[in-house]
Amino acid sequence: MSRTPSRALHGEKSNAYLSWVAIAVVLLIGGYAILEQLVHETLFAATVVTVALVPMIVLETRRAALPWEVTVVAVAPLLAAIAAPDLLTRQLVIYAGAAILALALTLEVHALTEVRFERWLAVTVVAMVSAAIAAIWAILTWVQDLAAGTTILAGNTELMWLLITATVAGIIAGVCFDLYYRGFPGEELVSAPVDGVEEHVFAIEADIDGHPPLEERLPLSGRVQFGLIQTLRLGMVAIFVYGLFNLDVGVISNAGGMLAITFVPTMLRRRYDLPFDAGLTLWITLVVFLHAIGSFYIYDRSFWWHNLTHPLSATLVGGLGYIAIRVIDEHRDEIHVPPELVPGFVVVFVLSFGVFWEIGEFGFDLIANATGLEMPLAQHGLDDTMTDLVFNTFGAVVVAVWGLPYLTNLTDVVTDRLEDWVDR
């Protein structure tokens, strides 16, 4: 087994013992948190234990453990949170600790699978995973508040600072990860006795090729799908014209922007011969039409329309994430994401994108409050933000579980076009 320089404890019993001691401390603090009904501390402790046990479960040995420093550092947020003077401070400390768990997960994925990252991508992945963990914790806490009638998440502003803390800490952890391992040639970043284990143990080929296009799977003929696309476009034209007659800048910008998006697949198909079939184009057009009509009339009058459009929008974000992952994998020899892990990366991509989007809306709110200007994006309270995150998660899971095969042909052609362009 390879050894990382200056990391003599990696793969040795002493490293595993120190890691197990840290896990025992986490379990003790987690038990105390459960007794005291400290929700975030309980979530953090449960996440630490789950992440720390992954190498042992995968490699079926108690000697398989993260570098002891990582596990020990993960205890620090729990100790600091217990000693913190108030609820918000405890929560900020815990959410900053999400970055440590994101770093640990990145180390494990790198060591226990065929995943290979360039340094810039490793930093990005750590930041994205940190934001995704924070989103999951926030969702679970919000659900607990609804079920028990508590106010652990006191309000939208407090939530946003928690998400910002996790995101910034994730970026810092990613940079620290890069600096720490920059000069180390060792490949095994997780200590484990893995001598003799073949790589194929950790990689399962995903059978997503050969699926028919979405146009053929829909219970509508291609002509009917094309007619629906045109009808939805005409609907957005009507909304745009209404905005012009009433000099409503918000309606004009929303309808005009959404209408323009519907022609992007057509333009890419004609200009670059990308295989945007009628089914994919209808999917994109329907999503942006529902958003356009919501911004025009329904969002302010009905909560459920908002809950419909968010998971659909998340499927588009997931599709873009899938294409980006596949393109990077194909065109960078130093980067590899095994097919069986792609759905997980798509979910993380969508969850983190949702967090970044909410942070952006929060920033617009701060600017609007400071200047009195009307911003194109705004938040509408804690429940609005949380339902956004919840339905983003639904959309991410849908596209990761069901939608990726229908994008495979498109991503293959995109990578081929890029390869031709680079070779010129």
Side-chain angles (χ1 to χ4, degrees), residues 195-238:
D195 295 320
V197 177
E198 299 294 334
E199 284 190 351
H200 67 77
V201 172
F202 306 119
I204 304 171
E205 289 298 324
D207 182 18
I208 58 176
D209 292 323
H211 277 70
L214 185 59
E215 178 180 349
E216 295 179 11
R217 295 299 299 268
L218 294 177
L220 302 169
S221 67
R223 178 174 296 182
V224 172
Q225 293 177 41
F226 180 76
L228 288 174
I229 293 169
Q230 298 301 98
T231 301
L232 295 175
R233 284 172 174 168
L234 288 174
M236 282 180 274
V237 170

Side-chain angles (χ1 to χ4, degrees), residues 84-242:
D86 56 73
L87 175 61
L88 180 59
T89 303
R90 294 206 312 268
Q91 292 175 339
L92 289 171
V93 170
I94 289 295
Y95 275 75
I100 300 171
L101 302 177
L103 174 59
L105 282 170
T106 305
L107 288 170
E108 290 177 346
V109 168
H110 190 279
L112 301 177
T113 74
E114 291 181 335
V115 163
R116 291 295 177 264
F117 293 142
E118 286 186 304
R119 296 206 315 257
W120 66 268
L121 185 57
V123 172
T124 303
V125 168
V126 171
M128 292 174 62
V129 173
S130 183
I133 291 173
I136 293 172
W137 285 350
I139 290 171
L140 294 175
T141 306
W142 180 67
V143 170
Q144 195 274 344
D145 279 345
L146 292 178
T150 55
T151 55
I152 297 171
L153 287 179
N156 190 68
T157 299
E158 289 78 6
L159 169 65
M160 293 313 304
W161 285 115
L162 295 178
L163 297 180
I164 291 171
T165 298
T167 302
V168 173
I171 296 172
I172 294 172
V175 172
C176 291
F177 166 80
D178 174 55
L179 293 175
Y180 191 66
Y181 285 101
R182 180 175 295 181
F184 294 168
E187 295 181 355
E188 303 299 340
L189 302 184
V190 172
S191 74
V194 294
D195 295 320
V197 177
E198 299 294 334
E199 284 190 351
H200 67 77
V201 172
F202 306 119
I204 304 171
E205 289 298 324
D207 182 18
I208 58 176
D209 292 323
H211 277 70
L214 185 59
E215 178 180 349
E216 295 179 11
R217 295 299 299 268
L218 294 177
L220 302 169
S221 67
R223 178 174 296 182
V224 172
Q225 293 177 41
F226 180 76
L228 288 174
I229 293 169
Q230 298 301 98
T231 301
L232 295 175
R233 284 172 174 168
L234 288 174
M236 282 180 274
V237 170
I239 296 172
F240 182 80
V241 172
Y242 173 88

